Amino acid sequence: MRRWQVLAGMGMVWLAATAAAQVPYVAIEQRVDAQALAEVGLTPAQLQTLNRLLREAEQGAPAAPVAAPVAAQAPAVAPMFAGLDDGPIEAHVTGTVDGWQPGTVFSLDNGQQWQVLKGEMKLKKPVSNPAIVVVPGIAGRWFLQVDEDLPKARVYRIR
């Protein structure tokens, strides 16, 4: 009788381990709030690499080294402040801008959409299709500038 209980217990452990191993991986974009993920400032390629590494870690597989394409390899000296090597994005807002506050979405003529995370401003008069500049900051932060004399809005890209 004791041997039967041991075998049954081992079978239950095996079934539980098999079931746990078959749980599909959930991508980081589905686990983390989009706004919090945008604050990190990962590129789509970096998100893909992170998902692969997490998936392999959950499955217990050793992570394979990531080989970057020759053109995309980092320079010999790392930048002092991450994100500042990215250039500004110059575009026009599609539509009228009369101000912004957290949650305001700016649709640009280049197809990008940026949402205000921090900052609030009410313009004296609405501006139609204004030229804007989205400038990089430290640690992947981005700032939308409608006029160089006005405060910038901290934004993150949603599309």
Side-chain angles (χ1 to χ4, degrees):
M1 178 81 168
R2 176 87 173 125
R3 186 179 304 171
W4 172 251
Q5 290 174 338
V6 169
L7 287 174
M10 288 174 49
M12 295 292 275
V13 169
W14 179 80
L15 282 173
T18 303
Q22 293 176 354
V23 173
Y25 171 76
V26 178
I28 193 78
E29 297 92 339
Q30 295 172 347
R31 295 191 216 180
V32 178
D33 177 63
Q35 186 174 359
L37 191 58
E39 286 186 52
V40 177
L42 297 176
T43 65
Q46 290 170 326
L47 272 174
Q48 184 180 13
T49 301
L50 178 60
N51 276 316
R52 181 182 56 79
L53 292 172
L54 291 172
R55 185 180 313 105
E56 290 173 356
E58 281 186 4
Q59 294 173 351
V66 177
V70 175
Q73 287 182 350
V77 178
M80 177 77 73
F81 298 103
L84 287 179
D85 289 344
D86 296 327
I89 299 167
E90 296 180 13
H92 285 83
V93 174
T94 56
T96 303
V97 176
D98 60 355
W100 57 86
Q101 62 187 11
T104 302
V105 175
F106 289 97
S107 296
L108 307 183
D109 60 357
N110 64 5
Q112 296 178 353
Q113 286 187 331
W114 294 81
Q115 186 168 2
V116 176
L117 182 63
K118 290 184 180 179
E120 192 168 326
M121 182 73 192
K122 182 72 175 161
L123 300 178
K124 290 181 182 177
K125 60 181 184 176
V127 183
S128 183
N129 301 321
I132 57 96
V133 180
V134 184
V135 295
I138 296 176
R141 293 186 171 121
W142 290 87
F143 299 89
L144 186 130
Q145 175 178 308
V146 174
D147 185 319
E148 63 183 29
D149 295 331
L150 296 176
K152 297 178 185 81
R154 181 162 166 216
V155 294
Y156 64 96
R157 187 172 173 187
I158 57 175
R159 187 171 68 131

